[in-house]
Amino acid sequence: MYMAAGERLMNIPGNDSDLREALLDVNTPTLLLVLASLTGDDKWLAPRFAPAPIEAPEGSLFPDDTGRYSDELTKEIHEAAVTIIGEVRDGQQMISAPPRLERFHRMLNFSTAETVDAGQVAMLMEETRFVDRDEQWRVDLMAATNAGKAQDFHAVIIGAGMSGLGIAAKLKSAGLRFTILEKNSQVGGTWYENRYPDCGVDTPNHFYSYSFHRNPGWSGYFSKRDELFAYFDDCADAFDVREQILFECEVEQATFDEASNSWQVSYRDTRGARCNLAANVVISAVGQLNRPALPDIQGLETFSGPMWHSARWQDDSLEGKKVGVIGTGCSSVQLLPKTAEQAQHSYVFQRTPHWVAPARDYYRPVEQGLLWALEHIPYYAEFHRARMILIFGDRSWPVVVGDPEWPDKALSMNEANHGMREALIGFIKEGLGDKNQYLEDCTPAFPVWGKRLIVDNGWYETLAREDVSLVTETIECITPEGIKLIDGRHIDLDVLILATGFQSNRLLTPMEVLGVEGRRLADVWGDSANAYKGTSVPGFPNLFCLYGPNTNIVHGGSIIYQIECQIHYTMQCITQMLDQSLQAIDVRAEINTAYNKRVQSLSRNLAWGHANVTSWYKNSAGEVVNNSPFSLQEFWATTHDVDLNDYRLLRQGSNG
Ligand code: NAP
């Protein structure tokens, strides 16, 4: 069962011994915050309960944040917890209200043994739902709808993946009319389409889920595709938006009509017929990684065996086959170990190596006691989420920012970044073992975090297998029988897997989006997509792009977090439009230009803007067009409040 935030279950099942057993799996610093919150008593934050600092043991994805208490003190805390939570269970103790900002800040400082930035705390108040961020727009939106200002409102959302479902949840809760057009036959977007072996997420699920629809039941810390798809599928029902989705309807064109300040959206329906929908607002929720990129290699189409892209997986048996895998990004790393287990021999064609991070607990299931605590102990899930965000979010930000004084700029950003490089090279050596001839080929010539750090699932150990070969020679062409390299060698293959990524620089294509004066978005952007706060594009009024340009994250964190920031921004825009009876808003070109100048200037000094990095984040001019130049905290602050002075306000007959 998924639990909407704010609906803490007060019916705590079981008895003291169930509770005692569950506590064995919970995090003690988090438990102390629970006790302080349940009782309202700060004695649980006293120095004698202060945890040891969080430490990151080498090779472990999870830092040691246990607090390292003595057995005696742990027992004392657990017994107190049994008493307090038991009293809540038995109705003898009322639960205190959630902490306010100042107390929450003290709590987080206490439980991390660090000084948490005040801005982070404000953000976490919302992520935990101790503060309902929707309050910022809900009251005004209700007033506008009650005054009949939303009667003719209709939004078209393009895509029913995690962005589309997220904004649909908000529009639905506000009682606004909307339609979702989805090209697939199911919801879930990327988690519907990608089914390659071992496909899964590399952000802890307790954070990779909507803040307003947590799932206490994730089976693993990093869930696999089927469980993720099931979560999003459940969301469509939990948000009550399935009826608004038109499946197998692919948008072809969206045209802004200046006479009515509204949009016409054309799509092909399930029978291939062309249909139109009028909309005041168009919300693009198409994602950045939904159009597979096939490699531009001569002879690709001549290969005579089965060939498929990682995002269009085919379940053909690989047993006894010679299998080629082109690409060494996240998809390839995830799918290779299972592929190699089946194939007679696997050949990995690498153009550039990626950094791969050790993660010995990647497959760790969520402990039974923790599952119980997340579902049944009031406040536990909130504090758990807050700590996950602190630990897996901006902690790595300082490592990605260039230090102007750092001498070794060719390979690293700063001292910490260099230290990580050294540690990861050690990890490569360890993983390759006797196949250390691959060491140089496996060591990237760009800084760590130049691309998203791949969470390891046995990559180097797989490359080290006798029946796996790493091929780094450039591919000359593909032949009917396999791959020819420029050194003249030919590698015979039965099956070819293209783990070659996505067409990411041409956002929103192949849709044709026509704005003011009929300008085509594809022409305006080329491969330099840019938008104000990643969301609004000048000349395209009332078009809101979720997971738009420069919103992707590399250094850590969950894309759902970014999307929620943009949903919040978009809901404010819609609210202010309705409240002020505006037909449309169009971000001012000079505001967008200034914003994006800053985006580019910041990006150049971040690991993924480094000159040695070639990636799907960069366009042909070497500019970063996909990634956010902000820490998670900064992106939250950037998108938190709408200022309509940034926009041209369009009303019938008086635009400007
Ligand atoms: P990707 O990161 O873009 O990797 C594509 C790979 O194909 C690269 O190694 C690239 O080499 C290679 N390639 C492309 N064209 C080639 C050509 N013509 N010849 C030889 N090699 C070629 O794609 P991806 O692995 O599908 O990952 C895309 C993104 O999806 C990731 O960055 C991540 O954000 C997301 N993802 C996440 C997860 C997860 O959460 N665990 C899993 C999968 C994907 P170069 O590096 O030299 O360009």
Side-chain angles (χ1 to χ4, degrees):
M1 186 204 53
Y2 304 117
M3 194 166 41
E7 291 172 23
R8 267 182 304 282
L9 295 184
M10 299 307 156
N11 292 331
I12 303 172
N15 52 32
D16 283 359
S17 74
D18 298 323
L19 193 46
R20 211 168 263 119
E21 197 178 320
L23 292 178
L24 296 175
D25 289 333
V26 307
N27 174 275
T28 308
T30 306
L31 183 63
L32 285 161
L33 301 189
V34 167
L35 299 184
S37 301
L38 289 176
T39 60
D41 192 340
D42 277 357
K43 83 174 186 193
W44 301 108
L45 312 178
R48 68 179 289 257
F49 294 121
I54 297 169
E55 271 180 13
E58 210 180 306
S60 169
L61 193 55
F62 290 94
D64 177 358
D65 67 341
T66 57
R68 297 190 288 285
Y69 295 96
S70 66
D71 290 349
E72 206 178 318
L73 194 52
T74 305
K75 195 153 182 268
E76 181 188 332
I77 295 166
H78 282 194
E79 282 312 307
V82 170
T83 305
I84 292 165
I85 299 166
E87 284 173 2
V88 171
R89 179 196 60 216
D90 299 338
Q92 294 158 2
Q93 156 113 17
M94 295 288 285
I95 297 176
S96 287
R100 289 173 192 252
L101 186 70
E102 183 276 330
R103 187 164 189 245
F104 189 44
H105 197 168
R106 271 193 294 123
M107 285 177 152
L108 293 178
N109 286 346
F110 165 83
S111 81
T112 55
E114 292 172 13
T115 305
V116 180
D117 174 78
Q120 289 244 26
V121 182
M123 173 270 279
L124 290 170
M125 285 292 282
E126 293 185 359
E127 276 288 321
T128 51
R129 303 267 288 171
F130 289 153
V131 162
D132 181 0
R133 62 166 68 121
D134 297 353
E135 288 299 317
Q136 204 177 335
W137 47 263
R138 189 185 285 123
V139 178
D140 288 344
L141 187 53
M142 286 322 207
T145 48
N146 289 341
K149 293 176 176 177
Q151 260 169 7
D152 300 326
F153 181 88
H154 179 230
V156 165
I157 302 170
I158 308 173
M162 59 185 98
S163 302
L165 291 172
I167 189 120
K170 299 298 166 186
L171 292 172
K172 184 84 184 196
S173 74
L176 295 177
R177 212 156 59 83
F178 64 92
T179 305
I180 308 181
L181 297 170
E182 167 55 57
K183 69 176 164 47
N184 293 327
S185 59
Q186 307 252 15
V187 301
T190 196
W191 295 116
Y192 168 68
E193 290 181 5
N194 281 275
R195 297 142 195 251
Y196 57 78
D198 219 29
C199 176
V201 71
D202 61 4
T203 305
N205 275 135
H206 299 109
F207 174 18
Y208 193 88
S209 42
Y210 299 109
S211 65
F212 54 91
H213 191 65
R214 289 191 302 262
N215 172 16
W218 293 116
S219 64
Y221 285 86
F222 299 90
S223 295
K224 292 294 163 195
R225 180 262 171 208
D226 287 354
E227 197 169 349
L228 288 154
F229 171 71
Y231 169 76
F232 290 107
D233 198 40
D234 171 82
C235 285
D237 298 319
F239 303 161
D240 194 16
V241 300
R242 203 181 284 277
E243 270 190 19
Q244 275 77 42
I245 308 174
L246 301 182
F247 288 105
E248 295 181 51
C249 287
E250 181 156 1
V251 173
E252 293 186 332
Q253 194 178 64
T255 309
F256 185 71
D257 173 38
E258 287 173 72
S260 61
N261 286 323
S262 66
W263 287 89
Q264 281 295 326
V265 181
S266 311
Y267 63 96
R268 292 267 168 210
D269 74 4
T270 39
R271 292 160 296 126
R274 189 160 181 159
C275 310
N276 287 308
L277 270 179
N280 311 86
V281 162
V282 171
I283 298 164
S284 164
V286 298
Q288 295 189 0
L289 302 167
N290 67 4
R291 303 274 166 184
L294 300 183
D296 184 15
I297 303 176
Q298 193 198 326
L300 182 70
E301 67 295 341
T302 67
F303 184 67
S304 60
M307 175 175 77
W308 61 83
H309 186 273
S310 55
R312 299 287 180 270
W313 194 259
Q314 290 178 24
D315 279 323
D316 298 21
S317 169
L318 302 176
E319 218 68 56
K321 305 267 170 66
K322 292 192 278 294
V323 178
V325 179
I326 302 183
T328 50
C330 288
S331 300
S332 174
V333 171
Q334 286 194 340
L335 67 85
L336 184 70
K338 294 268 186 291
T339 300
E341 273 170 25
Q342 281 189 42
Q344 182 211 95
H345 199 101
S346 304
Y347 296 89
V348 180
F349 296 88
Q350 171 183 281
R351 194 164 60 181
T352 322
H354 285 231
W355 288 110
V356 179
R360 296 207 177 98
D361 31 18
Y362 179 54
Y363 291 103
R364 187 168 119 197
V366 177
E367 298 78 4
Q368 286 304 310
L370 181 54
L371 281 170
W372 196 94
L374 287 166
E375 184 145 22
H376 300 302
I377 298 183
Y379 290 124
Y380 194 89
E382 284 89 340
F383 288 119
H384 182 73
R385 186 176 178 100
R387 280 174 70 92
M388 282 280 165
I389 296 176
L390 284 175
I391 290 170
F392 288 93
D394 286 340
R395 271 172 97 80
S396 45
W397 185 256
V399 186
V400 306
V401 183
D403 172 359
E405 307 294 318
W406 178 244
D408 193 8
K409 290 193 180 58
L411 290 174
S412 47
M413 306 304 293
N414 53 44
E415 193 176 347
N417 190 278
H418 173 78
M420 242 182 126
R421 178 182 183 87
E422 296 291 300
L424 290 182
I425 290 173
F427 175 63
I428 302 173
K429 280 186 192 152
E430 191 187 314
L432 290 176
D434 291 343
K435 261 200 185 173
N436 51 17
Q437 74 270 25
Y438 285 166
L439 178 60
E440 204 178 319
D441 288 333
C442 286
T443 306
F446 57 82
V448 177
W449 292 116
K451 300 181 188 184
R452 195 168 166 102
L453 207 49
I454 301 180
V455 176
D456 183 47
N457 62 340
W459 174 247
Y460 300 115
E461 281 86 351
T462 306
L463 292 182
R465 287 171 66 125
E466 284 298 311
D467 55 2
V468 175
S469 304
L470 179 67
V471 183
T472 55
E473 195 62 79
T474 305
I475 298 173
E476 182 180 309
C477 63
I478 295 178
T479 68
E481 295 80 28
I483 289 187
K484 186 170 176 220
L485 306 172
I486 55 161
D487 64 6
R489 270 185 298 155
H490 187 277
I491 296 178
D492 292 345
L493 297 172
D494 302 312
V495 177
L496 185 53
I497 296 168
L498 309 172
T500 43
F502 299 85
Q503 301 171 42
S504 51
N505 291 164
R506 303 241 168 216
L507 275 77
L508 272 62
T509 57
M511 289 186 300
E512 178 149 87
V513 181
L514 302 170
V516 171
E517 294 171 357
R519 278 194 295 268
R520 288 176 73 231
L521 186 59
D523 295 339
V524 173
W525 273 353
D527 69 355
S528 301
N530 65 86
Y532 185 52
K533 308 201 178 197
T535 312
S536 301
V537 189
F540 295 83
N542 283 10
L543 170 70
F544 299 99
C545 302
L546 301 180
Y547 193 21
N550 294 107
T551 58
N552 185 54
I553 35 175
V554 178
H555 73 287
S558 154
I559 200 63
I560 297 179
Y561 167 93
Q562 298 287 96
I563 291 166
E564 280 198 49
C565 289
Q566 288 191 281
I567 289 174
H568 183 65
Y569 184 83
T570 304
M571 288 306 293
Q572 284 178 67
C573 287
I574 292 172
T575 298
Q576 295 196 29
M577 268 175 9
L578 291 172
D579 184 41
Q580 298 184 34
S581 301
L582 301 167
Q583 285 184 323
I585 58 172
D586 185 11
V587 69
R588 294 180 186 280
E590 66 278 14
I591 295 279
N592 181 55
T593 302
Y595 175 84
N596 280 290
K597 259 191 177 164
R598 185 159 169 256
V599 166
Q600 289 307 326
S601 142
L602 291 169
S603 297
R604 279 191 286 277
N605 195 36
L606 299 172
W608 44 89
H610 191 278
N612 288 6
V613 175
T614 50
S615 68
W616 63 265
Y617 317 135
K618 285 185 174 176
N619 64 9
S620 52
E623 295 167 331
V624 177
V625 291
N626 293 82
N627 294 341
S628 166
F630 302 119
S631 67
L632 299 184
Q633 156 59 23
E634 286 166 337
F635 190 68
W636 174 84
T638 299
T639 50
H640 197 263
D641 306 294
V642 168
D643 181 354
L644 277 196
N645 289 318
D646 296 340
Y647 290 80
R648 286 192 311 128
L649 310 181
L650 309 185
R651 291 186 177 89
Q652 199 132 37
S654 66
N655 293 346

